[in-house]
Amino acid sequence: MMGEFGPTTRLFEERIAEEMGHSRTPVREALIRLWTNGMLEKRDGRYYPILPDLTELRDLYELRITIELRGLTRVIESDVARHDVRILEQLRDHWRGLELSPPEPDPSFVEADESFHHALLASS
């Protein structure tokens, strides 16, 4: 997710274990799990990151929009449910701060974006 490994980068179990300070067994298990979940591909018995399918990504973003809009509108339609204003204010302030002082572009923005969407739904 952080872009540390390109699609042509072979994922070496030994190197990853050493970098993470773990034995090879949990790394091997993690690679197998990522492969079975479709996040890695196996070529010639070796693991590589997959290239995202842009059509699938577009569909997932459309689904996300649908879910988020429903989360927001259900609060509007309800006499009982309320948005958590504290969460929304924190989101607003954080993103306004980023607008005033934009961070350097790097893959960690993906995590910030994910955090935004999780907080948005949590608020509703």
Side-chain angles (χ1 to χ4, degrees), residues 19-93:
E19 287 177 13
M20 302 204 59
H22 292 286
S23 69
R24 290 174 53 188
T25 302
V27 172
R28 183 180 316 114
E29 291 172 0
L31 291 172
I32 291 169
R33 178 178 259 173
L34 289 168
W35 174 63
T36 59
N37 288 334
M39 299 185 77
L40 294 179
E41 65 180 341
K42 210 173 188 181
R43 288 182 264 155
D44 300 322
R46 298 174 174 111
Y47 295 106
Y48 295 87
I50 62 161
L51 284 172
D53 178 322
L54 297 181
T55 301
E56 186 177 315
L57 283 176
R58 185 192 67 230
D59 292 345
L60 289 172
Y61 273 97
E62 287 179 14
L63 179 60
R64 173 181 254 174
I65 290 168
T66 301
I67 292 169
E68 287 178 350
L69 287 175
R70 182 62 198 135
L72 295 170
T73 57
R74 81 178 245 288
V75 174
I76 294 169
E77 296 166 352
S78 172
D79 292 333
V80 180
R82 298 284 178 254
H83 284 106
D84 187 329
V85 176
R86 182 185 52 82
I87 292 174
L88 292 175
E89 288 173 345
Q90 288 174 349
L91 274 179
R92 179 199 62 208
D93 295 344

Side-chain angles (χ1 to χ4, degrees), residues 1-2 61 64 68 87 90-92 94-99 101-121:
M1 284 183 60
M2 298 301 294
Y61 273 97
R64 173 181 254 174
E68 287 178 350
I87 292 174
Q90 288 174 349
L91 274 179
R92 179 199 62 208
H94 175 74
W95 285 87
R96 281 185 178 165
L98 290 177
E99 183 179 32
S101 180
E104 291 295 319
D106 68 23
S108 68
F109 189 77
V110 172
E111 291 176 348
D113 180 62
E114 282 297 308
S115 176
F116 167 81
H117 290 280
H118 285 280
L120 185 63
L121 283 178

